[in-house]
Amino acid sequence: MTMPVKNTNTNANVDAHGNGRYYAEHQKMLAGEMYTAKDPYLALLRRRCRYKVGNLAPARDDPEVFIKAIKELLGTVADDNAIINSPVFFDYGRNTHVGERFYMNGMCVILDCGRVDIGDDAMIGPGVHIYTADHPVDPKERLKRLQVARPVKVGNSVWIGGHAVILPGVTIGDNVTVGAGSVVTKDVPDNVVVAGNPARIIRYL
């Protein structure tokens, strides 16, 4: 068997034969299809992400180096005002895209096997978890070790309180406050406060 061409460009999508087999699971993941996370290329991307996450804390007191480290980690950063307090965890990093004046406190987890879009002026409290990874409910299917990525979208001027959890496929509208410790299981409209498990609208703004 011919081994894939070594390539340091993680955006490459073809192997030595030009048929993309080496990157097939990555393409399935981004397309929202069932895929295996044990795939070697996906493991490589996660390893590179861990390295980039590790660059954040040492750079925290040097603004120029710090924003560079954030931009190298994430897929898109809209300006130079982003702040990510360590420690944090991302699956891939590059599948997360943030707007202007992004702020994320420490102990957060973003499982961004699917795309995560976060708007301008977002405030993410400590210990918030955002999941795009979803698994079959049927235990027999789960034994196949397959999963699917469902994108998450967070609007502009959203405050997510500490230790809230955003589940796969959820869209949160603009000007929303998510109460601390909430579990958001379904879409949230604009201009509301939600809280609880599962999160429910407790106030209209």
Side-chain angles (χ1 to χ4, degrees), residues 140-192:
K140 293 180 181 179
E141 288 297 311
R142 219 167 32 244
L143 289 175
K144 298 177 182 178
R145 297 296 188 265
L146 294 175
Q147 62 187 65
V148 66
R150 306 189 191 282
V152 168
K153 295 181 180 180
V154 177
N156 298 318
S157 298
V158 172
W159 173 24
I160 303 178
H163 295 277
V165 177
I166 314 301
L167 294 189
V170 164
T171 293
I172 296 175
D174 296 337
N175 309 313
V176 169
T177 295
V178 178
S182 298
V183 179
V184 183
T185 62
K186 60 183 181 181
D187 292 355
V188 177
D190 297 344
N191 305 307
V192 296

Side-chain angles (χ1 to χ4, degrees), residues 64-173:
E64 290 187 8
V65 178
F66 186 51
I67 191 61
K68 181 179 179 182
I70 291 174
K71 288 184 174 182
E72 287 178 349
L73 170 65
L74 302 185
T76 305
V77 181
D79 63 12
D80 292 340
N81 299 310
I83 294 175
I84 298 177
N85 287 331
S86 297
V88 293
F89 179 87
F90 290 81
D91 255 347
Y92 297 93
R94 68 191 206 161
N95 294 334
T96 297
H97 306 265
V98 303
E100 297 179 356
R101 297 169 295 278
F102 174 72
Y103 177 83
M104 187 167 77
N105 217 322
M107 304 299 292
C108 290
V109 173
I110 298 185
L111 302 185
D112 59 344
C113 41
R115 184 177 175 111
V116 176
D117 286 286
I118 301 175
D120 297 339
D121 299 300
M123 298 173 61
I124 312 297
V128 167
H129 287 203
I130 298 176
Y131 305 147
T132 67
D134 205 356
H135 304 271
V137 175
D138 185 333
K140 293 180 181 179
E141 288 297 311
R142 219 167 32 244
L143 289 175
K144 298 177 182 178
R145 297 296 188 265
L146 294 175
Q147 62 187 65
V148 66
R150 306 189 191 282
V152 168
K153 295 181 180 180
V154 177
N156 298 318
S157 298
V158 172
W159 173 24
I160 303 178
H163 295 277
V165 177
I166 314 301
L167 294 189
V170 164
T171 293
I172 296 175

Side-chain angles (χ1 to χ4, degrees), residues 5 46 48 61-62 80 92 126-127 132 151 173 187 190 193 196 202 204:
V5 173
R46 292 192 297 271
R48 289 177 175 173
D61 294 326
D62 187 327
D80 292 340
Y92 297 93
T132 67
D187 292 355
D190 297 344
V193 178
I202 61 172
Y204 290 89

